[in-house]
Amino acid sequence: VCASWDNKGSMAKNWETLFKKIDADFSGRLDYPEFTKAVRDELKVPQTTDKELQALWTYIDHDKSGEVTLSEFQHGLYLLILEGWPRLSKKGLDDVIKVINKAARQFYHGHFSWYKIFRAIDENENDMLSFDEFERVVRANGTQGGLSLKPSYVSLVALQGLWRALDEDSSGEVSIDEFMHFMRTEEAALPPVELTEDEKQQVEMRAAAEKKAEAARQAAERRLSGHHEPKQKYATGRTIENQKPSTHEEHELVMPFDQLRAVVVRLIETMTKVCASWDNKGSMAKNWETLFKKIDADFSGRLDYPEFTKAVRDELKVPQTTDKELQALWTYIDHDKSGEVTLSEFQHGLYLLILEGWPRLSKKGLDDVIKVINKAARQFYHGHFSWYKIFRAIDENENDMLSFDEFERVVRANGTQGGLSLKPSYVSLVALQGLWRALDEDSSGEVSIDEFMHFMRTEEAALPPVELTEDEKQQVEMRAAAEKKAEAARQAAERRLSGHHEPKQKYATGRTIENQKPSTHEEHELVMPFDQLRAVVVRLIETMTKVCASWDN
């Protein structure tokens, strides 16, 4: 089913997408009719009876509120899967840990630490580890940052047994504390390793960086409380100003534009190939961030020129690029002449050089592109048409900011995937680039909802009014109610930050939502044999996996 939604990636993200599609009243919770609609109409799960669905709902709706949140839904499914995984004996656990430990010492030459392993595994940097992340690093080969442990060395059953022991609270994730607590006995048994001078320096720099990060967190808390903070400074002493994005004209060109832009094109092309070997299929921004962290030797969050050249020469091995071209690119990127660049400065400089090579469309050219997109959008959004709807559909990561990649994807994707089905024969890449250049008038690399609406509203105003159906009117009212609820939640969060006491949240049924530790399998109600109920979940997940084959989450 997910093939028609064009989504790939984490199962958690895919469940979230499905959850939002079927949450008709935008409450953030599902009742039983919405749940059965998901299984029957959206997923079309085979060979599943109404009795089995009722039993699964009974299990998932642990607190008997008649509603489940996304986290309750996912947690219930996870518990049923986890309960079917083996409990390894002490010897079985020791054997698995020894194999992983041996591979890890080869991977992390020099001073070995489970803390290093956790940091390598924790891809989304939330200090929490999922089974998918854990398995991926165990299986991936060394060139991809993994331990190269094939099933012939560590079976899937052994990994599942180890994970069950790790996730002792059945939360679905393992925190850094849980991970370290479980693994430290094995780490303590390792012979001490004498650090080299370089490794000692890395340890010191890491400690300094963590101290700096802690100071930054404390500063953020003081700012939230209204305390005035002095401006941040570069290591060179230069103050970092908060200002609007710079434009191409404000950057220094010390060689012809076309030659310098060609360097950036080679850089991006090489980065795309390199990312394939890292097994990264995310956005280019995420890949640059990964590279940035790899070469930021002092953990300062900034690069100097030697670190920059190391990235290009040693990590990326960009072909046919001279030292003079690299120096010219650095001069352009280091706009404020601080001698250092942050990740955002680095990406912004590259973006400006790419953007400047895109065409500036005439008024007629812009009108023509907008008309084609507008026509497709009215077919896509039958009924009342609104550019606000278009923005919300395009803004996949829900940060109220739109990138060119998101914009192009929705324009190109076919209608069954939530796109406008506009192939290059209808709207060329050059035309899209020209439209984007006009949209991104501040050259920030993203378009906010205000910029998007401001640019598109003239075309929207010219559309004939469309009479809403009763169903569409109800959807508009529910959306308005949901946005009002979301605004109230934001205001409540601000009050909590200021120390104000908030009453506990309640379900629509009036039942209070308690903040408590994750429930365990034993605490959920089983109204049919476990194996039969778990088989329902297995079919559900297998169907979801097929559905999500083409998702890109």
Side-chain angles (χ1 to χ4, degrees):
V1 171
C2 295
S4 66
W5 295 348
D6 192 26
N7 270 352
K8 292 178 204 157
S10 72
M11 186 59 67
K13 184 68 175 175
N14 293 332
W15 283 122
E16 182 181 351
T17 302
L18 174 64
F19 201 90
K20 288 179 180 177
K21 283 172 71 73
I22 57 179
D23 180 20
D25 58 0
F26 310 111
S27 65
R29 309 182 188 99
L30 293 189
D31 55 25
Y32 184 66
E34 289 174 318
F35 167 68
T36 54
K37 174 181 171 64
V39 177
R40 298 296 189 207
D41 299 345
E42 296 290 343
L43 295 181
K44 299 180 173 64
V45 179
Q47 301 172 323
T48 302
T49 66
D50 290 340
K51 183 178 179 182
E52 287 174 325
L53 286 187
Q54 184 63 62
L56 180 56
W57 177 262
T58 299
Y59 184 92
I60 292 173
D61 185 20
H62 167 55
D63 61 2
K64 310 306 176 192
S65 65
E67 301 169 306
V68 297
T69 63
L70 173 61
S71 60
E72 284 179 306
F73 180 74
Q74 290 178 313
H75 182 62
L77 300 186
Y78 172 75
L79 286 179
L80 284 166
I81 292 298
L82 186 69
E83 189 63 23
W85 288 1
R87 291 187 184 275
L88 298 186
S89 65
K90 176 68 166 65
K91 181 180 182 303
L93 282 173
D94 288 344
D95 288 345
V96 179
I97 291 175
K98 282 177 183 175
V99 174
I100 294 177
N101 178 37
K102 181 179 178 181
R105 276 185 285 181
Q106 292 172 338
F107 178 45
Y108 287 91
H109 48 79
H111 180 64
F112 167 72
S113 167
W114 278 113
Y115 182 83
K116 288 182 181 180
I117 299 291
F118 186 96
R119 286 302 183 190
I121 295 173
D122 181 26
E123 293 176 339
N124 55 9
E125 299 176 354
N126 65 346
D127 283 348
M128 300 298 291
L129 171 66
S130 69
F131 178 76
D132 288 342
E133 288 176 313
F134 179 58
E135 184 185 21
R136 181 180 173 195
V137 169
V138 169
R139 298 297 188 208
N141 66 51
T143 60
Q144 298 171 339
L147 304 186
S148 300
L149 287 171
K150 306 307 176 193
S152 55
Y153 290 95
V154 177
S155 69
L156 177 59
V157 170
L159 277 187
Q160 291 171 342
L162 174 57
W163 179 262
R164 186 166 185 178
L166 276 167
D167 186 18
E168 58 183 348
D169 64 356
S170 303
S171 66
E173 292 182 308
V174 175
S175 71
I176 194 166
D177 292 329
E178 288 176 308
F179 189 83
M180 293 288 288
H181 176 74
F182 190 89
M183 295 296 195
R184 70 161 58 112
T185 53
E186 182 68 18
E187 182 175 359
L190 292 173
V193 179
E194 186 66 28
L195 298 188
T196 64
E197 288 303 316
D198 181 61
E199 286 174 331
K200 287 178 181 177
Q201 185 179 10
Q202 290 289 322
V203 170
E204 291 171 359
M205 288 192 297
R206 170 66 71 185
E210 288 172 354
K211 184 177 179 181
K212 187 183 296 183
E214 178 59 28
R217 283 192 292 271
Q218 292 174 355
E221 290 172 1
R222 290 195 295 272
R223 283 195 298 275
L224 284 171
S225 66
H227 180 77
H228 178 70
E229 289 289 322
K231 289 180 177 175
Q232 186 187 6
K233 291 187 177 184
Y234 288 104
T236 56
R238 186 183 185 90
T239 300
I240 300 175
E241 302 287 347
N242 291 320
Q243 54 191 8
K244 67 179 183 180
S246 57
T247 62
H248 171 69
E249 291 73 20
E250 295 170 328
H251 286 246
E252 184 180 358
L253 272 176
V254 293
M255 70 168 39
F257 169 75
D258 290 339
Q259 183 181 353
L260 189 58
R261 189 175 188 271
V263 175
V264 176
V265 170
R266 289 198 298 275
L267 199 61
I268 292 173
E269 288 175 348
T270 305
M271 185 67 172
T272 303
K273 295 174 184 175
V274 168
C275 290
S277 69
W278 290 351
D279 196 25
N280 262 356
K281 295 177 183 168
S283 66
M284 185 57 69
K286 182 68 176 175
N287 293 333
W288 282 121
E289 182 181 350
T290 301
L291 174 64
F292 201 90
K293 289 179 179 176
K294 281 171 71 76
I295 58 180
D296 179 20
D298 59 359
F299 311 110
S300 65
R302 309 179 189 102
L303 294 188
D304 56 24
Y305 184 66
E307 289 174 319
F308 167 68
T309 55
K310 174 181 171 62
V312 176
R313 297 295 190 208
D314 299 345
E315 296 288 343
L316 295 181
K317 299 179 173 64
V318 179
Q320 301 172 322
T321 303
T322 66
D323 290 340
K324 183 178 179 182
E325 287 174 327
L326 287 187
Q327 183 62 61
L329 181 56
W330 178 263
T331 300
Y332 183 92
I333 292 173
D334 185 19
H335 167 56
D336 60 3
K337 309 307 175 193
S338 64
E340 300 170 308
V341 297
T342 63
L343 174 61
S344 59
E345 284 179 305
F346 181 73
Q347 290 178 313
H348 183 63
L350 300 186
Y351 171 75
L352 287 180
L353 285 166
I354 292 298
L355 185 70
E356 189 62 23
W358 288 359
R360 291 187 183 275
L361 298 186
S362 63
K363 176 68 167 65
K364 181 180 182 304
L366 282 173
D367 288 344
D368 289 345
V369 179
I370 290 175
K371 282 177 183 175
V372 174
I373 294 178
N374 178 37
K375 181 180 178 181
R378 275 184 285 181
Q379 292 172 339
F380 177 45
Y381 288 92
H382 48 79
H384 181 63
F385 167 73
S386 167
W387 279 113
Y388 182 82
K389 288 183 180 180
I390 299 291
F391 186 95
R392 285 302 182 190
I394 295 173
D395 181 28
E396 294 175 338
N397 54 9
E398 300 178 351
N399 65 346
D400 283 346
M401 300 298 291
L402 171 67
S403 70
F404 178 75
D405 289 343
E406 288 176 312
F407 179 58
E408 184 185 21
R409 180 179 172 199
V410 169
V411 169
R412 298 297 189 209
N414 66 51
T416 60
Q417 297 169 342
L420 304 186
S421 299
L422 289 171
K423 306 307 177 193
S425 55
Y426 291 95
V427 178
S428 68
L429 177 60
V430 170
L432 278 187
Q433 290 170 343
L435 175 56
W436 179 262
R437 187 166 185 177
L439 277 166
D440 187 17
E441 57 184 347
D442 65 355
S443 302
S444 64
E446 293 182 308
V447 175
S448 70
I449 193 166
D450 292 328
E451 288 176 309
F452 189 83
M453 294 288 288
H454 176 74
F455 190 89
M456 297 296 196
R457 67 163 60 111
T458 53
E459 183 68 17
E460 183 175 359
L463 291 174
V466 179
E467 185 65 29
L468 298 187
T469 65
E470 287 304 314
D471 182 61
E472 287 173 332
K473 287 177 181 177
Q474 185 180 10
Q475 290 290 323
V476 169
E477 290 170 1
M478 288 193 297
R479 171 65 70 185
E483 289 173 353
K484 183 177 179 181
K485 187 184 294 184
E487 177 59 28
R490 282 193 292 272
Q491 292 174 355
E494 290 173 2
R495 289 195 296 271
R496 282 195 299 274
L497 284 170
S498 65
H500 179 78
H501 178 69
E502 289 289 321
K504 288 180 177 176
Q505 186 188 5
K506 292 188 176 183
Y507 287 103
T509 56
R511 186 183 184 90
T512 300
I513 301 175
E514 303 286 349
N515 292 320
Q516 54 191 8
K517 68 180 183 179
S519 56
T520 63
H521 170 69
E522 291 72 21
E523 296 171 328
H524 286 246
E525 183 180 359
L526 271 176
V527 294
M528 69 167 41
F530 169 75
D531 290 340
Q532 184 181 354
L533 189 58
R534 189 176 189 271
V536 176
V537 176
V538 170
R539 289 198 297 275
L540 198 62
I541 292 173
E542 285 175 350
T543 304
M544 190 68 168
T545 302
K546 293 174 185 175
V547 165
C548 302
S550 64
W551 284 14
D552 189 19
N553 274 342

